[in-house]
Amino acid sequence: MTSTPVRDPRIVIIGAGVAGISAAVTFQRAGFTNFVIVEKGEDVGGVWYWNRYPGLTCDVPSQIYQFSFAPKPDWRRIWATGPEIQRYHREVVERFGLEPHLRLRTEVTGAAFDGTGWDVTLSDGSNLRADFVIAATGVLHHPFTPGIPGLDTFTGSVVHTARWDDTVRTEGRRVAVVGSGSTGVQIVSALQPAAQRLVQFTRTPQWVLWAPMGLPQARAIGALLGAAPALHHRVYDGMLWASGILGDIVLRPTWRRRAVQRYARLSLRAQVRDRDLRERLTPDYEPLCKRQVVSGTYYKAIAADNAELVTEAITEITPTGIRTADGRHHDVDVIVFATGFHPHNYMRPMDLRGRDGVHIDEAWAGGPRAYRMTAIPGFPNLFTVLGPNSPTGSISLQYSSELTARYITRWLERFRDGEIDTVEVTEEATDRFAESVAQAMGPTVWNTGCNSWYFTDQKTIDLWPFDRATMTALLSEPDERDFHVTVADAAVGTGPAAH
């Protein structure tokens, strides 16, 4: 009796942000080290590498915005700044020895499944052969700039917050900020004090919950948590548990939701005394319906003497400024677009082709979808980490990505042991999951009447509408009944992914 050959699966991970690092470390800890992480940026961190604008701050408390396998007790602030988070990701890569697996400044331009594995094409003209492809491309990485007439005629500086240019000077200048989401709120707060004049253009104001975002974390807390890892772990677990309260708020119309909504209205009323400005800052939808904005400085900044809120539509950009629908011309020196991203592109624009040459655009003609956030019909041996439905309003992204990576590891183990050669989720299972998502979305706050970036072009809400316990149950062990699995007559060895 011969033993089943042990194979070393070749894995290509696309992206070195939260999702990619989670996948790489999880695979490595499970004994899978034959992987390459392909990252188009010059460093790791994903959204925290690409976004470097002034005032960038995470709106999730630092002690939960970290990997469970890489606790960081000594954050400088309760809500960490973007640069500190990016440094943390770099430190995690170095701590777990991921550097040799990294290919930075390299973009995946295409990937095609040929029946037995994947051929991955890179921007430098080289190719990788993979048994499994892990798309860890994230959600917010394709900046959106509105096509406003005359933009190309503007003679001043133009910059998008997701591609910030440190050479652009804003101090002492007339600055226009277009956009009012979390980024718009943070950039207005950061630029207003030193600007000669700041004008924010918005058609849809946001509810802003007041919170002391600049609050430092006491050094004694960092020292205590660093000296007592077990205590730090309990703090982390406690914050994960507490996030369930937020889940209750956004998923169901409970008293907790009503309480937070009252607090949002109070935050506006207490901080903005001018009645006209307060009316223009009051949204026409329920608090929490959009991605919630948190700030301790925005209302003060927009109410300052050198700031102005403009709610008229922009009709054109001229060589010297911005014209609005009321005919008014606003003279500005700098235009800052805080207009967000194309949030549902995921792996686009890569030329991704699955079984029988099916293109991802064909598979997603009705909008992005994936079985339990991670498997796509027609694409064997390809999994997504933080894919469709993975943006969550109440669950840590690190928790979601680590859980998903462990789920994928179960299939890697079966491939290693010769039990499978390919695995592909069925259309039926994916349809059932999509139906359950649509049904669960009904009572959520995201479905109460606002127009947010959560909506796809097909008017579905691309979010996770279940609680953390449900996510854990769905992604603990694969259900083979939901997959097509193939096994070759004879297993063969595999070589290094980088060759």
Side-chain angles (χ1 to χ4, degrees), residues 173-193:
R173 306 183 77 188
R174 298 167 298 179
V175 180
V177 174
V178 181
S180 59
S182 292
T183 300
V185 163
Q186 291 185 358
I187 199 78
V188 165
S189 299
L191 299 185
Q192 173 270 322

Side-chain angles (χ1 to χ4, degrees), residues 296-338:
T297 54
Y298 170 70
Y299 284 139
K300 178 181 178 182
I302 198 61
D305 291 340
N306 68 331
E308 180 182 2
L309 180 72
V310 175
T311 56
E312 293 287 338
I314 296 174
T315 56
E316 67 170 333
I317 294 177
T318 72
T320 58
I322 297 176
R323 194 179 308 279
T324 46
D326 56 0
R328 185 178 171 196
H329 187 270
H330 305 265
D331 296 327
V332 297
D333 306 307
V334 181
I335 298 177
V336 177
F337 284 105

Side-chain angles (χ1 to χ4, degrees), residues 412-442:
L412 297 179
E413 291 168 345
R414 295 191 62 185
F415 180 90
R416 176 198 61 197
D417 296 340
E419 297 177 9
I420 68 166
D421 286 298
T422 67
V423 53
E424 176 191 343
V425 71
T426 67
E427 289 278 0
E428 295 76 16
T430 307
D431 287 342
R432 287 197 305 272
F433 176 71
E435 290 168 5
S436 68
V437 166
Q439 183 176 1
M441 204 64 72

Side-chain angles (χ1 to χ4, degrees), residues 76-295:
R76 295 182 180 179
R77 287 172 32 171
I78 301 298
W79 288 272
T81 63
E84 187 176 15
I85 295 174
Q86 200 279 327
R87 287 194 300 273
Y88 167 68
H89 286 106
R90 164 48 62 183
E91 291 166 0
V92 170
V93 164
E94 294 171 356
R95 184 191 314 179
F96 287 90
L98 300 182
E99 190 71 37
H101 299 271
L102 271 174
R103 291 189 64 166
L104 297 174
R105 297 175 292 279
T106 307
E107 186 171 2
V108 173
T109 57
F113 182 77
D114 63 7
T116 59
W118 286 89
D119 284 315
V120 181
T121 306
L122 306 182
S123 56
D124 61 8
S126 63
N127 291 78
L128 298 174
R129 182 67 181 173
D131 298 303
F132 289 85
V133 170
I134 311 300
T137 52
V139 181
L140 305 180
H141 64 109
H142 294 294
F144 169 72
T145 301
I148 303 173
L151 177 58
D152 58 343
T153 70
F154 185 63
T155 57
S157 301
V158 179
V159 63
H160 193 288
T161 51
R163 297 293 184 269
W164 190 259
D165 183 351
D166 289 328
T167 66
V168 173
R169 184 173 63 85
T170 59
E171 296 83 358
R173 306 183 77 188
R174 298 167 298 179
V175 180
V177 174
V178 181
S180 59
S182 292
T183 300
V185 163
Q186 291 185 358
I187 199 78
V188 165
S189 299
L191 299 185
Q192 173 270 322
Q196 175 187 330
R197 183 159 185 78
L198 184 143
V199 185
Q200 183 183 21
F201 295 84
T202 177
R203 297 300 308 281
T204 55
Q206 299 268 17
W207 291 105
V208 181
L209 294 178
W210 182 88
M213 301 294 287
L215 196 65
Q217 176 182 285
R219 290 186 178 182
I221 292 177
L224 174 62
L225 296 178
L231 173 61
H232 192 195
H233 184 72
R234 284 197 293 271
V235 169
Y236 179 78
D237 283 347
M239 296 188 76
L240 284 177
W241 174 85
S243 69
I245 297 175
L246 180 57
D248 181 64
I249 290 169
V250 297
L251 300 180
R252 290 170 289 275
T254 64
W255 67 269
R256 291 188 179 93
R257 180 189 295 181
R258 293 191 294 273
V260 173
Q261 290 177 333
R262 283 196 293 271
Y263 179 67
R265 295 184 175 96
L266 176 62
S267 294
L268 172 60
R269 188 167 61 250
Q271 295 179 79
V272 181
R273 299 296 185 183
D274 182 271
R275 179 173 295 180
D276 175 65
L277 178 59
R278 188 166 65 242
E279 288 179 357
R280 288 185 290 125
L281 283 168
T282 302
D284 60 359
Y285 54 85
E286 288 188 24
L288 304 174
C289 185
K290 295 189 178 187
R291 168 73 184 185
Q292 186 55 56
V293 181
V294 183
S295 175

Side-chain angles (χ1 to χ4, degrees), residues 18-19 22 64-65 386 390-392 395-402:
V18 168
S22 290
I64 196 174
Y65 200 84
L386 299 185
S390 65
T392 65
I395 304 172
S396 158
L397 290 179
Q398 288 81 359
Y399 181 87
S400 303
S401 57
E402 291 175 41

